Amino acid sequence: MDKLKMHSRDNIKEHIAQIAALFPNALTETIKDGKVTQAIDFDILKQELSEVVVDGPAERYQFTWPDKRKSILLANAPIAKTLRPSREESLDFDSTENLYIEGDNLDALKLLQETYLGKVKMIYIDPPYNTGNDFVYEDDFSQSEDDYMPGSGQFDESGGRLVPNLESNGRFHTDWLNMIYPRLKLAKDLLTEDGVIFISIDNSEVENLFKLGNEVFGEDNFVAIITLLCNPKGRSQDKYFATNHEFILVFSKTKLPKGSFSILKKDDQIIDEYPEQDENGKYRLLELRNTHREFGKFNRPNLFYPIFVNFVGEIQLNKDKEGLTKIFPIWEDGFEGCWTWDENKLIKDVDLVCGKKIKGQWKIYRKSYADGADKMLKTIFLDKEFYTEKGQKELNTFFESKGKVFQSPKSSALIKQLISTSTSNNDIVLDFFSGSATTADAVMQLNSEDAGGRKFVMVQLPEVTDEQSEAYKAGFKNICDIGKERIRRAGKKIKSDAGLLAKNLDTGFRVLKIDSTNMRDVYYTPGEYQKDFLSSLADNIKPDRSAEDLLFQVMLDLGILLSAKIKETRVGGKTVFDVAEGYLLACFDSNVTSDVVTEIAKRKPYYAIFRDSGIASDSVATNFDQIFATYSPTTVRKVL
Ligand SMILES: C[S@@+](CC[C@H](N)C(=O)[O-])C[C@H]1O[C@@H](n2cnc3c(N)ncnc32)[C@H](O)[C@@H]1O
């Protein structure tokens, strides 16, 4: 039996029900007195009753996640780090213009800001896909080291932290986004105005990466999403469909003109597509009539005009000649189409045009030569050479191993394709998740094929290899060791395959390792130290740092390319580094005398650098400026 209500009618409830019947979308739920109860969303109701858009409170299109703002801060925060050269691990240190940087790419991207700002033409990255099995470098060092198992691949050599990002982690996408966002922001600044970035990714994060790319580079600078057939057999461990593809997202720094990514046609394609030949080379005939019915006399009247041919099909500009046939761009069903050239263009290039009688009807053709012919790439990449198994085979061959020294490297043919669509001549190519250095290999191969002088910058974390792994057994203690050895071996192979043609090919690389700054803390914060303590320090430079370490920090500071030529010379018994053919002269020796300073000043460098503590005496220090004023007043002088 129903209980009596024993109170008056609930008008509010009644009104809500009536409104909800009219506007079901305005019905919502809220908490009242700790209980969930029905309510009306007045913003929606207002909108339903308004003819113009009503401002809602905070409703707007946005892409956000926890700590997004923090990761912006992370991108902007300065670091007290430097790049220390390693001659022993480099190849052709003095002559190469390629770089191999070891360390966390967030640091590397920051360190390169000064020197490589706006200088990189193409970036390719293949970041961890966030499949639930990847180790992701954690930028937030708030957890204690004990939380991690040492020796299980979770540390890199510099003590950095690699953490597994499991799907069960409540911050699964958040962590990945916080990792990639600051890196993309910094990477964008390194691109030239017409620079482009290619990012490999799979289903796990393609949606987020696309949104992020639009945010960082701007929707107008979205270029393409390439779908790559990478595993033709498909992944048998998948649940529903056997995935056999992944993606490459492409963004440019600024809006690029049409055709920016077109590439020259290859020889076999030219043989197939250009069957005709004359004294100017191979060509094919293309119909001059526009083959699209969206265009015709109705909307392109200037392209609808008669063309006159004689009986052998030669185009005649003198229409008054006898025996000519008048041809209009009219389709077989009578549709009045149009030509693709206007009359002026026809007059100018009449030698390229001819008529042909096909099934009793005259058609007009133009010659299209193969020389310089380019094509737009399609957004689905199906080339067998691009399969991941190809990349794996390639790498295994280098290391004479059936086992995998490195898991799933990209195919060099794929990266070569991306580089050739976006670079030429002496462009700089950067890969800051470089793994086994496929990108470096691709750059060298392409340079060897087209005599280019592209330079590469590889960045890779010295992520330690598992003791049970094939890599470890082959003697590679971390991934950088694999990458560097790959470049050495690939370079050798490319040179030997190309013979004399590759005589000048740059297959070397300068190894630079990210480390703490060369300066002691007192260099940055002298005010915090007691005077006695300061004077007890002979120097403000850490004792384990070499002159070349200092030189690279100076180059970073002054924005001098890290690939600049460096010559070590002797002046008055002191070592003087000559960078970029006299642009910078640096002497970090001690007991630098007036004679040495004079000799350096006489060479008129743009920059002259000394060590504060290296100046021999107070009198040399006093004369220092006078010497420069006499011999090279414009030289910028600095001391460390
Ligand atoms: C998918 S692999 C790249 C493979 C590469 N495309 C190739 O063909 O060999 C991603 C690489 O990024 C590296 N990596 C991950 N986080 C990094 C970081 N913060 N800094 C530098 N490298 C990182 C990993 O060690 C791994 O080698």
Side-chain angles (χ1 to χ4, degrees):
M1 200 186 293
D2 279 343
K3 248 181 149 185
L4 280 168
K5 280 208 278 300
M6 298 299 284
H7 59 72
S8 65
R9 173 185 140 111
D10 185 344
N11 279 343
I12 292 179
K13 216 170 171 186
E14 199 59 35
H15 293 159
I16 287 176
Q18 284 168 6
I19 291 172
L22 276 176
F23 305 108
N25 55 334
L27 188 66
T28 184
E29 289 175 0
T30 188
I31 308 263
K32 192 180 159 203
D33 301 328
K35 275 201 201 142
V36 179
T37 173
Q38 286 192 322
I40 291 298
D41 182 328
F42 283 103
D43 283 313
I44 301 220
L45 185 62
K46 245 161 70 185
Q47 188 62 69
E48 290 286 3
L49 300 174
S50 168
E51 279 175 8
V52 290
V53 175
V54 175
D55 284 342
E59 193 177 324
R60 66 200 138 96
Y61 180 78
Q62 55 181 338
F63 175 49
T64 194
W65 63 90
D67 288 344
K68 183 178 184 181
R69 270 182 296 176
K70 250 198 221 163
S71 78
I72 297 175
L73 276 184
L74 190 66
N76 296 334
I79 48 167
K81 295 199 178 177
T82 191
L83 288 170
R84 299 179 68 188
S86 166
R87 272 188 176 266
E88 319 75 67
E89 295 173 54
S90 304
L91 183 65
D92 303 331
F93 186 94
D94 289 322
S95 56
T96 185
E97 293 187 64
N98 302 317
L99 302 181
Y100 190 93
I101 300 178
E102 295 193 22
D104 176 18
N105 49 20
L106 186 69
D107 292 337
L109 290 165
K110 286 184 182 184
L111 287 168
L112 296 178
Q113 288 295 304
E114 203 74 60
T115 325
Y116 283 80
L117 197 78
K119 293 212 171 70
V120 175
K121 180 68 199 300
M122 187 265 194
I123 298 177
Y124 169 72
I125 52 167
D126 178 15
Y129 286 180
N130 209 21
T131 56
N133 303 315
D134 305 314
F135 282 85
V136 171
Y137 196 78
E138 204 184 40
D139 297 315
D140 170 7
F141 296 95
S142 57
Q143 279 173 283
S144 90
E145 292 201 356
D146 302 340
D147 297 342
Y148 299 89
M149 277 193 317
S152 61
Q154 286 136 311
F155 289 93
D156 64 38
E157 278 179 350
S158 53
R161 212 183 298 276
L162 286 164
V163 291
N165 195 22
L166 305 173
E167 246 174 306
S168 54
N169 172 5
R171 292 168 51 94
F172 183 61
H173 294 292
T174 295
D175 283 355
W176 189 84
L177 282 164
N178 281 327
M179 183 279 292
I180 202 79
Y181 184 51
R183 287 166 173 84
L184 286 187
K185 278 173 75 69
L186 289 163
K188 182 187 171 197
D189 293 337
L190 299 184
L191 286 175
T192 55
E193 284 307 290
D194 58 352
V196 290
I197 184 166
F198 295 82
I199 313 169
S200 281
I201 201 70
D202 75 358
N203 289 340
S204 320
E205 295 294 350
V206 65
E207 177 200 1
N208 285 329
L209 185 63
F210 179 51
K211 285 195 191 137
L212 203 60
N214 277 333
E215 178 174 322
V216 173
F217 295 93
E219 279 181 35
D220 280 355
N221 299 324
F222 164 71
V223 175
I225 296 184
I226 296 167
T227 302
L228 167 72
L229 175 64
C230 57
N231 171 9
K233 292 190 198 110
R235 265 197 326 232
S236 54
Q237 67 269 36
D238 280 352
K239 221 169 169 181
Y240 305 114
F241 285 81
T243 309
N244 59 359
H245 72 283
E246 58 184 42
F247 306 100
I248 302 169
L249 269 55
V250 192
F251 289 92
S252 54
K253 174 136 169 206
T254 56
K255 207 164 180 175
L256 299 179
K258 183 171 165 45
S260 294
F261 291 83
S262 295
I263 57 166
L264 285 180
K265 289 183 175 172
K266 292 214 174 101
D267 287 350
D268 49 350
Q269 197 176 359
I270 285 175
I271 290 168
D272 284 353
E273 292 178 5
Y274 295 80
E276 318 283 344
Q277 171 105 30
D278 67 10
E279 64 282 4
N280 295 322
K282 291 186 83 54
Y283 71 90
R284 62 180 171 179
L285 291 175
L286 297 177
E287 254 206 84
L288 194 69
R289 195 187 63 191
N290 195 324
T291 52
H292 297 279
R293 279 178 92 108
E294 306 92 86
F295 303 105
K297 186 183 172 190
F298 68 101
N299 61 358
R300 296 289 187 277
N302 62 322
L303 301 179
F304 188 87
Y305 56 90
I307 293 179
F308 295 83
V309 291
N310 65 16
F311 68 101
V312 286
E314 287 165 352
I315 306 297
Q316 302 296 308
L317 296 176
N318 178 0
K319 301 159 191 177
D320 299 331
K321 271 193 185 168
E322 293 217 345
L324 301 184
T325 310
K326 197 182 197 182
I327 302 160
F328 280 98
I330 296 180
W331 294 55
E332 276 172 23
D333 63 1
F335 173 72
E336 291 182 321
C338 63
W339 304 117
T340 48
W341 290 2
D342 65 15
E343 238 174 321
N344 288 335
K345 170 89 173 143
L346 178 80
I347 293 167
K348 189 171 148 269
D349 285 329
V350 69
D351 292 345
L352 298 178
V353 185
C354 64
K356 276 194 169 209
K357 223 172 191 175
I358 311 283
K359 291 186 196 155
Q361 292 291 325
W362 281 107
K363 285 191 167 187
I364 305 294
Y365 293 91
R366 66 178 173 90
K367 288 179 177 177
S368 159
Y369 285 95
D371 189 27
D374 56 17
K375 61 169 183 183
M376 230 185 242
L377 291 178
K378 309 230 168 65
T379 51
I380 300 187
F381 279 16
L382 296 170
D383 195 327
K384 288 190 174 83
E385 294 301 313
F386 298 169
Y387 294 172
T388 308
E389 68 183 30
K390 278 276 177 185
Q392 191 72 63
K393 237 187 229 158
E394 238 177 327
L395 194 76
N396 292 0
T397 316
F398 281 131
F399 293 106
E400 294 130 20
S401 128
K402 281 218 170 67
K404 295 176 181 173
V405 165
F406 186 87
Q407 184 79 30
S408 307
K410 288 286 179 279
S411 128
S412 65
L414 168 70
I415 312 300
K416 220 163 66 175
Q417 175 78 289
L418 303 179
I419 298 172
S420 61
T421 62
S422 55
T423 67
S424 58
N425 300 332
N426 298 322
D427 287 338
I428 299 177
V429 173
L430 166 67
D431 182 343
F432 55 88
F433 284 99
S434 64
S436 67
T438 309
T439 304
D441 188 351
V443 167
M444 294 189 295
Q445 286 183 41
L446 202 58
N447 281 345
S448 157
E449 284 166 23
D450 67 5
R454 300 170 190 83
K455 301 144 202 359
F456 63 76
V457 178
M458 297 293 105
V459 182
Q460 172 59 41
L461 196 66
E463 183 182 337
V464 294
T465 51
D466 191 291
E467 284 185 22
Q468 303 307 316
S469 68
E470 201 66 36
Y472 191 89
K473 287 182 207 153
F476 300 113
K477 300 283 178 289
N478 67 50
I479 295 182
C480 295
D481 291 345
I482 301 173
K484 286 176 288 186
E485 191 55 25
R486 156 62 167 301
I487 305 175
R488 286 186 200 105
R489 295 185 187 196
K492 226 185 223 167
K493 178 174 185 308
I494 294 165
K495 276 202 157 169
S496 95
D497 287 353
L500 273 180
L501 289 174
K503 213 171 64 202
N504 299 321
L505 185 70
D506 183 0
T507 55
F509 54 94
R510 259 182 199 169
V511 174
L512 302 171
K513 301 190 181 195
I514 297 175
D515 207 331
S516 61
T517 171
N518 296 315
M519 317 313 284
R520 292 184 205 251
D521 282 350
V522 289
Y523 184 81
Y524 302 105
T525 53
E528 289 174 16
Y529 293 85
Q530 298 289 327
K531 216 168 166 226
D532 296 355
F533 174 69
L534 276 181
S535 53
S536 77
L537 292 172
D539 207 345
N540 52 17
I541 290 158
K542 291 177 183 161
D544 64 329
R545 302 304 163 103
S546 69
E548 224 161 37
D549 288 337
L550 299 181
L551 181 67
F552 273 81
Q553 188 155 4
V554 167
M555 286 163 72
L556 277 172
D557 255 43
L558 300 179
I560 297 172
L561 277 189
L562 302 169
S563 57
K565 295 268 170 301
I566 300 171
K567 255 195 320 208
E568 209 177 300
T569 60
R570 302 288 289 172
V571 173
K574 303 291 172 202
T575 300
V576 173
F577 292 101
D578 173 335
V579 180
E581 327 238 299
Y583 182 70
L584 178 152
L585 295 179
C587 178
F588 304 113
D589 281 357
S590 47
N591 288 321
V592 170
T593 60
S594 293
D595 287 351
V596 176
V597 176
T598 306
E599 201 47 49
I600 287 176
K602 277 183 175 171
R603 292 203 204 165
K604 301 190 186 319
Y606 186 85
Y607 287 114
I609 314 290
F610 300 87
R611 202 163 156 165
D612 199 9
S613 61
I615 304 296
S617 64
D618 287 350
S619 75
V620 179
T622 319
N623 288 337
F624 186 88
D625 280 329
Q626 191 49 49
I627 295 171
F628 272 98
T630 309
Y631 295 105
S632 184
T634 55
T635 292
V636 180
R637 305 141 235 165
K638 292 188 184 284
V639 285
L640 285 182

